[in-house]
Amino acid sequence: MAAIYDRVALIGLGLIASSMAHAMRQNGLANEIVGHARSPETRATALELGICDAVFATAAEAVADADLVVLAVPVGAMGDLAAEIAPHLKPGATVTDVGSVKQSVIAAVAPHMPEGVHFVAGHPLAGTEHSGPRAGFAALFRNRWWLLTPDETTNRAAVDRLRALCVAMGANVDEMDAAHHDLVLAVTSHTPHLIAYTMVGVADDLGRVTDSEVVKYSAAGFRDFTRIAASDPVMWRDVFLTNKDATLEILGRFTEELFALQRAIRLGDGQHLQEYFTRTRAIRRGIIEAGQDTAAPDFGRAPNADLGQKPGLAPKSDG
Ligand code: NAP
């Protein structure tokens, strides 16, 4: 496949950036990939694994002459990085991000973008609970959604070129308004993560259930919560700090539903419970029919060729 960008600069060299590098290399989508991460260890690992052709100690150096700059750091770090790189961006370059929240990233990054540089915010709905440059793999984005949130002022040619890159890495691309994105992700990803964190915290607090029992009998449902709750603490701290309104809105609804179920259990209202669980079961079927998970009983654990995942890694629909 012909290269879509000549030089790509990855700022942050963790799971998402390293997966992008592998996918771009596998498909010949960039002639040169350079990068920056905070720590010398991460930069050295990126060179060792061939993720980057060159790494730089500062983001400013990394973006010089890049046609595409990808901000792949925790959401809370994006604004400062945008300010740092702004004077060094090449005229006509595209800057994108992969942050899990869109309104706050746009508010933090867009004001720094110089005239003639195109900022197109984005978010791949693909991830695992693993972090860092060693966690990446080329198939991460295959058959996953990559959401772009341009507005009416965003350069159309820049959006289409970025879209072509995402598609060439195996993703399906949709465009939507940033506020809508944040609400959708609060439902599908952010609130479920918070619930998983809570459930694992509850089990940890529960003195009557010993640690060994929690681990031994975890396949009863708890195991899936623990996998989600093993996600990167800094990334998820930033998600909740920056998608505050949408998450609180969905949490409010969640609490109401939980109280209704609690009441049904207390009153022995089996009809309410059964009707509720019948409705939720249909949603699971819809996800499988949409190709976003497998119906296999061990879903997410055995290597699954259909989902193109790294052996031993379970796909998560986000971050
Ligand atoms: P990650 O594996 O934890 O990697 C983060 C990278 O950012 C590391 O290379 C880290 O460098 C670097 N970094 C952190 N703060 C920095 C700073 N202030 N300046 C420069 N570099 C900095 O993270 P990730 O999972 O790839 O996530 C990156 C972004 O993608 C986040 O915004 C997240 O919301 C989004 N996202 C994540 C997922 C997911 O499931 N993981 C899915 C979709 C989107 P050091 O190693 O040197 O500390």
Side-chain angles (χ1 to χ4, degrees), residues 11-18 36-43 59 71-78 81 97-101 123-133 135 231-232 235-236 239 316-319:
I11 308 302
L13 296 168
L15 168 72
I16 300 295
S18 61
H36 159 75
R38 260 181 323 194
S39 67
E41 293 78 20
T42 301
R43 298 199 292 270
L71 301 176
V73 296
V75 167
M78 299 232 184
L81 274 169
D97 77 291
V98 294
S100 306
V101 179
H123 177 202
L125 306 193
T128 74
E129 68 275 32
H130 300 280
S131 312
S231 301
D232 189 70
M235 168 185 157
W236 283 97
V239 165
K316 288 200 313 160
S317 54
D318 176 277

Side-chain angles (χ1 to χ4, degrees), residues 4-293:
I4 295 175
Y5 293 96
D6 187 31
R7 185 180 168 114
V8 174
L10 302 172
I11 308 302
L13 296 168
L15 168 72
I16 300 295
S18 61
S19 296
M20 287 182 72
H22 289 304
M24 287 190 282
R25 289 215 191 279
Q26 196 174 72
N27 298 293
L29 306 177
N31 290 327
E32 193 185 9
I33 302 173
V34 301
H36 159 75
R38 260 181 323 194
S39 67
E41 293 78 20
T42 301
R43 298 199 292 270
T45 306
L47 279 183
E48 176 204 320
L49 298 177
I51 291 165
C52 295
D53 299 304
V55 291
F56 297 89
T58 66
E61 291 169 279
V63 303
D65 228 23
D67 304 291
L68 175 69
V69 174
V70 182
L71 301 176
V73 296
V75 167
M78 299 232 184
D80 286 349
L81 274 169
E84 182 194 335
I85 63 174
H88 307 277
L89 293 165
K90 178 166 132 177
T94 295
V95 175
T96 189
D97 77 291
V98 294
S100 306
V101 179
K102 294 279 54 88
Q103 290 177 103
S104 79
V105 168
I106 293 170
V109 172
H112 298 291
M113 292 297 106
E115 197 63 38
V117 167
H118 313 300
F119 176 52
V120 186
H123 177 202
L125 306 193
T128 74
E129 68 275 32
H130 300 280
S131 312
R134 293 188 190 280
F137 55 104
L140 179 66
F141 309 113
R142 199 178 296 160
N143 199 29
R144 299 283 150 200
W145 285 103
W146 200 305
L147 303 179
L148 300 178
T149 59
D151 65 17
E152 55 294 341
T153 66
T154 315
N155 181 282
R156 196 59 234 175
V159 178
D160 289 341
R161 197 169 168 198
L162 181 62
R163 185 183 250 277
L165 178 75
C166 300
V167 169
M169 289 190 293
N172 306 313
V173 181
D174 250 353
E175 291 177 31
M176 63 174 66
D177 168 73
H180 187 66
H181 166 279
D182 289 354
L183 186 61
V184 170
L185 266 292
V187 178
T188 58
S189 170
H190 304 167
T191 310
H193 272 79
L194 197 72
I195 293 164
Y197 280 122
T198 314
M199 197 54 230
V200 175
V202 166
D204 191 40
D205 289 345
L206 208 64
R208 274 180 303 149
V209 182
T210 66
D211 285 354
S212 62
E213 276 177 314
V214 168
V215 173
K216 186 171 166 189
Y217 304 121
S218 64
F222 183 66
R223 187 173 66 177
D224 295 321
F225 281 116
T226 61
R227 188 172 65 78
I228 294 173
S231 301
D232 189 70
V234 173
M235 168 185 157
W236 283 97
R237 177 202 65 193
D238 283 7
V239 165
F240 293 114
L241 291 178
T242 56
N243 200 18
K244 186 173 164 179
D245 293 345
T247 311
L248 289 177
E249 162 69 19
I250 301 305
L251 262 182
R253 289 168 185 252
F254 173 82
T255 314
E256 284 172 21
E257 300 271 316
L258 192 63
F259 280 145
L261 289 174
Q262 193 177 351
R263 186 176 154 80
I265 294 169
R266 193 190 313 284
L267 299 179
D269 185 350
Q271 193 185 343
H272 179 94
L273 295 172
Q274 190 174 337
E275 280 171 10
Y276 200 91
F277 302 154
T278 303
R279 186 151 67 86
T280 55
R281 187 181 219 187
I283 292 176
R284 171 73 190 159
R285 280 202 208 103
I287 289 172
I288 292 164
E289 278 161 24
Q292 293 299 301
D293 205 348

